[in-house]
Structures are given as C-alpha cells and as structure tokens.
Amino acid sequence: KNSTMVVTIVLFFAMYIVGIIMYGDRGFAKVQNFLNLFISNAGLIVVATGMTIVMITGGIDISVGSVMSLYAGVCCMILAGYGNVNVQEYAHPLLVGIGAGLLVTLICGVFNGFLVAYMNIQPMVATLILWSAGRAVGLLLCNSQIVYVRVPSFQKLGAYCGIIPTPIIVAAVCVAIASIVLRYTALGTYIQSVGINKKASRIAGFNSAKIILMCYAICGLCAGLAGMVATSRIYSADTN
C-alpha cells in the first residue's frame, strides 16, 4: 500500500519537473500554477473520498455528479429566491442555503444506501435512479436557468482562507478524516469487513445493512461538499 502511494507521488513530481523543463518560460513553475492543480480538482478529491468508502463495501455510486448539481440547484435557489437568476444579496441566510443543500445530498445518499442495503438492488442499478433524476430535479428548481449568486461571502468557500485556498482545506480535511476512520477506528474495521465478506460480517454480529447504508450516506454528503466548493468557485448553479 505504501509503495503504491510513494510511486504515485514520485510520478506526480516527475511529471511536474518535466513540465517545468519544457514550459518553464511560460510560467509553469509558478507556485500558483501548482496550487491550481489542487484547487481545480478539490471537488473531485472530496467525491473520490466518499466513493472510496462505498467501494470498500463492494458497491459503487454513479449518481455523485448529479447529486453535486442537485446541491447547487437547492443551495442557489434558496439563496437567490425561487425564480431569480441573478442576485447580489441573499433572499435567505447563507447557512440556510448550504445546510439545505447538504441535507438534500445526505438524503440522496441514504436513498441509494436503502436501495442497495435493504432492497438488495445492484449498486449500479440503484444509483442509476438519481444519476438521471438528480439533474432533472435541479433543473426544475432553477427553472432550467443558470442561477448566479454574486455575493462575496458566498464566493469565500471557493476562494481563499488567509493564504490557503479554501477548496484545498475542505479536500484535505475530508481525506484526513476518512483516513483516520478507516485506519484507526472500529468503524473502519466494520466497513472493511463488510466489503470483504458481507455474510461473514453479519454472522460475526455486524449489522451489514446499516453499515452499507451509512457508507452511501457519507458518499452523498461528500458529493454535497464537492458541490459546495464547485458552486462557490463559479458563484452559480448550472444544473445542466
């Protein structure tokens, strides 16, 4: 496991050095350019964190992109007010919009988990429902329009916290929490045991269905956090 991580890091920096050699005269070596790699992919890192937890259980969630867009639709619709497409002040408090968006994505994760864990539907088929329906619901909420929220405080989550980009902070916190839970806690052991052998875990006394449901809920929440970062970066919701 450690050797794979080392090889990945070495390859990353090797490609970066090659880029500096080839395109250094065009500003490739600038620190900001290096940071942009992580800022642009912070949402992907957060989604991948939730997906990793689901995949450990032997499942998959193909609806994360639609759930991200659904977060954007819910959050921006609440902040802008239904029917408005370009605002410079909130119709409702910022925390209400963010909280509602994250709650909806958490419910989406629970829905997927329920279908997989309790209805015994194949994960690919179960998550296909929200893959197609998530964007459709978002389009209905936004009246098939791009909703802009041009308020500085809304853009902070996609900008900087001091000198550190906020998206990188969100991604780093998600990865750190997931790593600690999976490596050093009993819950991490439960999740891995279910992925190795669901039936054996159930016989050993673990509630496999509850663990799988929780993992999908976490994945949905991670998709919401990724949507939060992406939406704040472009201060708008394009659910299409």
Side-chain angles (χ1 to χ4, degrees):
K1 294 178 181 179
N2 292 332
S3 62
T4 303
M5 180 64 71
V6 170
V7 170
T8 302
I9 294 173
V10 169
L11 286 174
F12 175 81
F13 280 103
M15 289 187 291
Y16 188 69
I17 291 171
V18 170
I20 292 175
I21 294 172
M22 296 181 65
Y23 306 107
D25 58 333
R26 302 181 191 177
F28 190 88
K30 290 181 179 179
V31 175
Q32 185 59 48
N33 189 56
F34 183 78
L35 288 176
N36 285 342
L37 293 173
F38 294 97
I39 295 172
S40 301
N41 292 287
L44 184 60
I45 293 171
V46 176
V47 168
T49 302
M51 186 70 77
T52 298
I53 295 173
V54 165
M55 293 184 73
I56 288 174
T57 67
I60 193 168
D61 186 349
I62 64 172
S63 69
V64 287
S66 295
V67 173
M68 279 181 65
S69 73
L70 182 57
Y71 167 88
V74 171
C75 180
C76 289
M77 182 273 294
I78 290 175
L79 295 180
Y82 184 74
N84 298 321
V85 295
N86 194 341
V87 299
Q88 295 184 345
E89 59 181 20
Y90 297 130
H92 299 93
L94 175 61
L95 291 179
V96 173
I98 293 175
L102 292 178
L103 179 61
V104 168
T105 59
L106 179 63
I107 292 172
C108 288
V110 171
F111 175 75
N112 286 333
F114 176 78
L115 294 180
V116 174
Y118 291 96
M119 302 298 290
N120 293 318
I121 300 175
Q122 286 295 324
M124 185 74 74
V125 177
T127 57
L128 183 64
I129 298 171
L130 282 177
W131 176 80
S132 60
R135 279 191 173 88
V137 174
L139 283 169
L140 287 173
L141 292 173
C142 296
N143 290 321
S144 300
Q145 301 287 326
I146 299 177
V147 178
Y148 291 92
V149 182
R150 303 179 188 276
V151 184
S153 59
F154 179 66
Q155 300 173 30
K156 283 289 184 182
L157 292 172
Y160 283 78
C161 181
I163 61 172
I164 305 175
T166 308
I168 293 179
I169 295 175
V170 175
V173 169
C174 288
V175 171
I177 292 174
S179 299
I180 291 171
V181 170
L182 292 173
R183 284 175 177 267
Y184 303 110
T185 67
L187 178 59
T189 303
Y190 298 160
I191 293 172
Q192 294 178 60
S193 67
V194 169
I196 294 169
N197 193 318
K198 189 193 305 184
K199 185 177 180 180
S201 299
R202 188 171 62 252
I203 294 172
F206 300 153
N207 192 328
S208 300
K210 247 182 208 183
I211 293 171
I212 292 173
L213 176 68
M214 181 193 63
C215 290
Y216 277 91
I218 292 172
C219 187
L221 185 60
C222 285
L225 290 172
M228 177 186 72
V229 171
T231 303
S232 296
R233 281 188 64 215
I234 60 176
Y235 54 85
S236 65
D238 183 4
T239 52
N240 195 30

